[in-house]
Amino acid sequence: MTGRRRVSGVDAINLAARSAERSRWRGCLLAATILVLGCHTARAAEESAADESARWQAEAAGTEIMRDDWGIAHVHGRTDADAVFGMIYAQAEDDFKRVESNYLIALGRVAEAEGAAALAVDLRQRLFLDPKQLQADYAHSPPWLVALMNAWADGLNYFLATHPQVHPRALRHFEPWMALAFSEGSIGGDIERAVNLPALAAFYDLPGQSPAPPVAQNRLLRGAIDPVGPGGSNGIAIAPSNTRDGHALLLINPHTTFFFRSELQMSSDEGLDAYGAVTWGQFFIYQGFNPHIGWMHTSTGADNVDQFAETIVSRGGRQYYRYGHELRPVQIKTIELSYRTDSGALAVKTFKTYATHHGPVVRKDGDKWISIALMNTPIAALEQSFLRTKASDYASYLEVARRRANSSNNTVFADSKGEIAMLMPQFMPVRDNRFDYARPVDGSNPATDWKGLHTLESLPSIVNPASGWLFNSNDGPYTNAGPSSPKREDFPRYMDTAGENPRGVHATELLSARKDFTLESLERAAFDSYLPAFARLIPLLVQAYDALPSADPLRARLHDQIELLRHWDYRWSDHSLATSLAVFWGDALWTNKGVRPEHLDESSGAWDDMADTSPMMKLQTLADVSDLLAREFGNWRVPWGEINRFQRVTDDIVPHFSDAEPSIPVPFTSSRWGSLAAFNAKAYPGTHRYYGTEGNSFVAVVEFGPKVRAVAVTAGGESGDPHSAHFDDEAIRYARGLLRPVYFYPEDLQGHVERSYHPGQ
């Protein structure tokens, strides 16, 4: 990784476009195929295998992969396209299974691997993303983006050609247009979060559908792995005024299913130089930093996906929907889906699907058909996802964001100029605030229609707050910078549906307490053990106990438990007995009708519901979980680390756990209780211990001084190969919150390179 040339942000973006345009045509046939329309999906069929192989080898020669002593790939290319070729090749080396998995979902082809039980998953995707439309979008994409998509497909196909021992489940050849199907890297995209699978299956007459086929569970935040996950992520930005050394700081702390992203660096001679977390199969750094800026995405609580209740009228054998004073014909589209039969052969099922001008119809509610409107601009989304990694300051980052093609994420930002910001999703439809868009609105009333998009300036963003700090923990923006936060009453209610959560309370307390932050102290703050939800709830439990009549049998039964909790400092640790008791009590109270159904998504009302439960429910729940702990572990007095464990034995997308296999104690809890460091765990068939599947996944702290400095850790390890030394080499660091130095500059890598090679070697 020598000879890198530094280029400013805006110049780098322009240079990327110019240079990538020149490189786009490499490998295309001369004459007629030099045009975009002649260079897209037909390219692979028109070229001979020898030509294709020669092109791949030329791209590989322009790319270098350096693996550091944690197995992390540092990929450098002559062009941005070369860097894309190398980074996707490196991802496939590390975990092709997860790369393919994400594109089976994105392309609506899960049933080709999983069988007919996954047809609803595929139909859900194909209602919004049509392969033919994506191919047309590819043909009309700007040349620089086409070059990146071409390189992406070439990198994956070259990997498969050079690794015949790898057997794809369904995707044996990647086409460049496929990259448009998965253009942003959120743990659960809008389509997955918005469409209820059982209701969709019922509407389109698909009996026997799996709620989450195994390959799909890799991407579901609330999938079959755990129906009550911790939710969320954390981003913190601290301005130079609140740091010891006068440098902006950034915490990058996504909470996802484990092994959901790769960690890598990608750079080129065209100014690209980004490091961070990459959702398997994508060709951009989703959460990370470059020499000048850093960005952290958190799933948003804003409402920008809406449901419309359509009034259906049948006339002359056709369906119409009412819109104002007119009847409009329901749009009909035929979708054909392939699925694997029991014999292993592929069969095809044809669906007659429906849509209105609002969007596809996805379910029925009484006599109403429910359609969904959401962002569907794959070209702009993919442009924004890549180009922001080359921005050099807040102004250039915001210029990229003006594509308004980020719908599912808030962004916490910091840069080397000392600017910090919290940005709402840039895709935000303008709506009539009289209507409650958290529920289906009347699709027959034209007043409920979207009325264009908000400008970036009209959103409740936070830029360089006087507080000197800001954060987002999947809560609303109205507390994210303390007294410098936007005012809720100044914005439409659809800008936030989440409210505040205990992580936000925790972050506010930490960030308000000091003005001398360093990279090291922000790292410690990210693993601060305080649990503010229990600081609120446990005193109510103790109060309920103290109010018991002296003769009540619960007094003797719960005496020792209450005394333990009465003197607890509300901090987790792996040796804490109180943490075990409190977590079991809180989880049981949460699920035992202690939280109203509308708050089970961890909106702000959930903890109010728990506080409002009756004194007897609080006490009886404590008695019940004491018995449960005794049954499972022989005594209710169990150190938290004996229960809460990290285990990685296989790379199966749906994990399997065993008390007989090695595991590591993890001290932190679910973020539900206000822990910034999150670890969501539960018991599995045949286990007494709890094993984690999601929470902290990639954690990084970045300091933007004269040179960027960063530390990071990834859950388990970089490789998906159980035989690799890098399969679980970060597990202990992960569990202890011990972040390792990031080798960002070539001089950082010196002495830490295990292997340097070109793809295919």
Side-chain angles (χ1 to χ4, degrees):
M1 296 195 49
T2 58
R4 287 193 212 166
R5 187 158 50 90
R6 303 295 182 193
V7 185
S8 68
V10 175
D11 289 341
I13 291 171
N14 293 333
L15 178 60
R18 292 195 302 269
S19 182
E21 183 173 359
R22 292 194 300 269
S23 65
R24 171 194 175 221
W25 308 109
R26 185 172 58 253
C28 292
L29 294 177
L30 296 175
T33 57
I34 203 89
L35 297 175
V36 175
L37 290 174
C39 188
H40 63 291
T41 55
R43 183 185 62 170
E46 294 170 350
E47 292 179 334
S48 68
D51 291 335
E52 187 172 56
S53 177
R55 184 181 71 250
W56 292 343
Q57 291 178 34
E59 289 172 300
T63 306
E64 181 184 23
I65 301 174
M66 303 177 75
R67 295 281 183 174
D68 68 24
D69 46 20
W70 297 99
I72 294 166
H74 302 256
V75 181
H76 185 74
R78 290 177 299 207
T79 66
D80 288 355
D82 288 337
V84 166
F85 177 91
M87 67 89 79
I88 198 64
Y89 182 95
Q91 286 186 59
E93 285 184 306
D94 288 337
D95 208 328
F96 177 79
K97 181 194 307 183
R98 282 178 164 77
V99 172
E100 183 187 23
S101 151
N102 280 342
Y103 281 91
L104 288 175
I105 297 169
L107 294 166
R109 295 178 60 178
V110 177
E112 293 180 33
E114 299 290 342
L119 281 169
V121 172
D122 290 346
L123 180 62
R124 174 177 63 181
Q125 198 74 7
R126 294 281 292 277
L127 284 172
F128 298 90
L129 293 177
D130 181 348
K132 291 183 179 179
Q133 182 59 51
L134 292 177
Q135 291 168 32
D137 288 342
Y138 167 80
H140 291 92
S141 294
W144 69 266
L145 185 60
V146 171
L148 301 187
M149 291 188 279
N150 289 349
W152 171 83
D154 281 350
L156 288 170
N157 292 327
Y158 189 47
F159 169 81
L160 291 175
T162 54
H163 292 75
Q165 73 277 18
V166 174
H167 302 289
R169 303 187 70 195
L171 300 179
R172 293 169 179 82
H173 186 81
F174 289 83
E175 294 290 336
W177 61 265
M178 293 178 177
L180 289 165
F182 190 22
S183 55
E184 67 92 39
S186 180
I187 179 69
D190 292 341
I191 296 172
E192 293 170 52
R193 292 184 297 160
V195 180
N196 178 279
L197 278 179
L200 178 75
F203 185 83
Y204 286 108
D205 193 24
L206 269 171
Q209 290 296 289
S210 167
V215 75
Q217 291 178 9
N218 187 40
R219 290 262 306 281
L220 293 178
L221 182 60
R222 299 288 193 273
I225 290 176
D226 195 327
V228 286
S233 302
N234 305 312
I236 293 175
I238 303 177
S241 61
N242 283 33
T243 67
R244 185 193 67 188
D245 300 320
H247 304 151
L249 297 170
L250 179 67
L251 169 68
I252 300 171
N253 182 203
H255 297 169
T256 70
T257 49
F258 296 157
F259 327 121
F260 179 68
R261 296 190 176 108
S262 168
E263 180 180 348
L264 59 79
Q265 181 176 17
M266 57 188 304
S267 63
S268 77
D269 292 338
E270 296 177 349
L272 174 67
D273 194 0
Y275 187 106
V278 180
T279 305
W280 291 110
Q282 296 186 323
F283 61 70
F284 53 85
I285 302 292
Y286 179 67
Q287 291 157 323
F289 59 94
N290 66 30
H292 306 290
I293 72 165
W295 58 96
M296 165 61 201
H297 299 307
T298 61
S299 295
T300 187
D303 173 16
N304 51 17
V305 175
D306 291 324
Q307 301 184 42
F308 294 83
E310 311 286 8
T311 301
I312 303 300
V313 178
S314 296
R315 288 187 179 175
R318 286 205 60 180
Q319 280 85 28
Y320 298 81
Y321 67 100
R322 194 171 300 282
Y323 185 68
H325 299 296
E326 60 180 303
L327 288 178
R328 294 184 173 184
V330 173
Q331 302 162 26
I332 297 174
K333 178 181 177 181
T334 299
I335 295 177
E336 293 185 347
L337 296 177
S338 297
Y339 65 95
R340 186 166 299 282
T341 65
D342 292 341
S343 69
L346 290 181
V348 175
K349 186 172 180 64
T350 302
F351 295 87
K352 181 181 180 181
T353 67
Y354 305 95
T356 71
H357 73 282
H358 296 120
V361 176
V362 298
R363 65 183 176 91
K364 193 173 183 181
D365 186 0
D367 62 348
K368 304 290 186 182
W369 287 11
I370 306 299
S371 63
I372 284 188
L374 49 75
M375 186 188 85
N376 192 357
T377 56
I379 296 175
L382 194 54
E383 285 182 334
Q384 184 169 336
S385 292
F386 181 80
L387 288 178
R388 66 184 170 220
T389 71
K390 301 191 72 172
S392 62
D393 56 15
Y394 177 68
S396 56
Y397 189 94
L398 200 64
E399 192 60 33
V400 173
R402 293 194 184 281
R403 286 163 172 79
R404 294 186 291 183
N406 166 28
S407 63
S408 61
N409 298 296
N410 305 318
T411 302
V412 176
F413 173 94
D415 70 19
S416 59
K417 293 181 178 179
E419 296 196 277
I420 62 173
M422 201 293 291
L423 304 177
M424 296 290 288
Q426 294 85 58
F427 181 89
M428 186 67 69
V430 177
R431 285 152 284 180
D432 190 326
N433 203 36
R434 294 176 300 167
F435 302 104
D436 181 7
Y437 286 89
R439 297 173 175 80
V441 294
D442 182 3
S444 69
N445 183 353
T448 64
D449 271 10
W450 288 359
K451 298 168 178 63
L453 296 179
H454 278 274
T455 64
L456 300 192
E457 290 72 21
S458 67
L459 301 174
S461 301
I462 304 170
V463 182
N464 299 325
S467 60
W469 54 264
L470 56 82
F471 72 91
N472 188 264
S473 58
N474 313 103
D475 44 6
Y478 307 120
T479 58
N480 284 177
S484 305
S485 304
K487 306 303 179 189
R488 181 183 296 273
E489 57 269 21
D490 294 339
F491 298 93
R493 55 181 164 173
Y494 53 74
M495 293 289 187
D496 172 50
T497 63
E500 191 173 44
N501 60 47
R503 281 179 292 131
V505 173
H506 193 178
T508 299
E509 292 179 359
L510 291 170
L511 296 171
S512 301
R514 61 190 305 172
K515 290 182 176 294
D516 61 346
F517 276 98
T518 63
L519 181 148
E520 290 77 16
S521 61
L522 181 54
E523 178 183 353
R524 290 192 295 272
F527 290 87
D528 186 80
S529 60
Y530 187 56
L531 298 170
F534 286 131
R536 177 188 181 190
L537 296 171
I538 293 298
L540 298 175
L541 173 64
V542 172
Q543 180 181 330
Y545 175 84
D546 289 342
L548 283 174
S550 58
D552 193 300
L554 284 177
R555 271 202 166 270
R557 184 178 177 188
L558 297 178
H559 175 269
D560 291 350
Q561 294 93 318
I562 290 293
E563 289 308 302
L564 177 68
L565 295 173
R566 189 193 302 273
H567 299 290
W568 184 36
D569 60 2
Y570 312 120
R571 290 189 174 276
W572 48 251
S573 73
D574 55 10
H575 59 271
S576 169
L577 307 182
T579 302
S580 302
L581 190 60
V583 169
F584 270 63
W585 174 75
D587 284 345
L589 194 63
W590 184 285
T591 57
N592 189 25
K593 300 182 179 179
V595 174
R596 287 181 288 174
E598 62 268 28
H599 294 153
L600 288 174
D601 62 350
E602 301 197 7
S603 60
S604 58
W607 296 273
D608 294 336
D609 293 346
M610 295 182 73
D612 291 341
T613 55
S614 69
M616 187 50 64
M617 176 179 280
K618 292 182 178 73
L619 292 168
Q620 188 58 55
T621 300
L622 182 62
D624 292 343
V625 300
S626 298
D627 293 344
L628 174 61
L629 283 165
R631 286 196 305 271
E632 293 296 316
F633 300 98
N635 194 312
W636 66 260
R637 297 176 177 86
V638 190
W640 179 235
E642 286 296 312
I643 300 171
N644 202 49
R645 313 289 288 191
F646 178 90
Q647 184 178 86
R648 191 182 194 192
V649 179
T650 72
D651 192 41
D652 294 341
I653 289 177
V654 180
H656 303 278
F657 300 102
S658 170
D659 289 344
E661 296 285 348
S663 61
I664 297 170
V666 176
F668 37 96
T669 70
S670 163
S671 64
R672 174 178 292 161
W673 313 118
S675 178
L676 297 181
F679 188 79
N680 188 47
K682 70 172 188 177
Y684 286 79
T687 76
H688 297 283
R689 286 173 157 174
Y690 279 24
Y691 295 98
T693 55
E694 57 186 71
N696 273 19
S697 51
F698 170 70
V699 186
V701 182
V702 189
E703 179 180 22
F704 294 97
K707 294 180 64 175
V708 70
R709 183 167 71 100
V711 292
V713 74
T714 293
E718 175 61 27
S719 176
D721 179 2
H723 302 292
S724 169
H726 303 302
F727 180 70
D728 60 358
D729 56 342
E730 297 187 55
I732 293 177
R733 281 184 171 271
Y734 168 84
R736 293 286 164 244
L738 301 173
L739 278 59
R740 50 175 169 72
V742 168
Y743 310 134
F744 184 74
Y745 295 100
E747 56 267 29
D748 298 334
L749 267 172
Q750 291 179 9
H752 298 286
V753 177
E754 288 189 343
R755 185 183 174 211
S756 179
Y757 60 101
H758 297 286
Q761 292 181 342

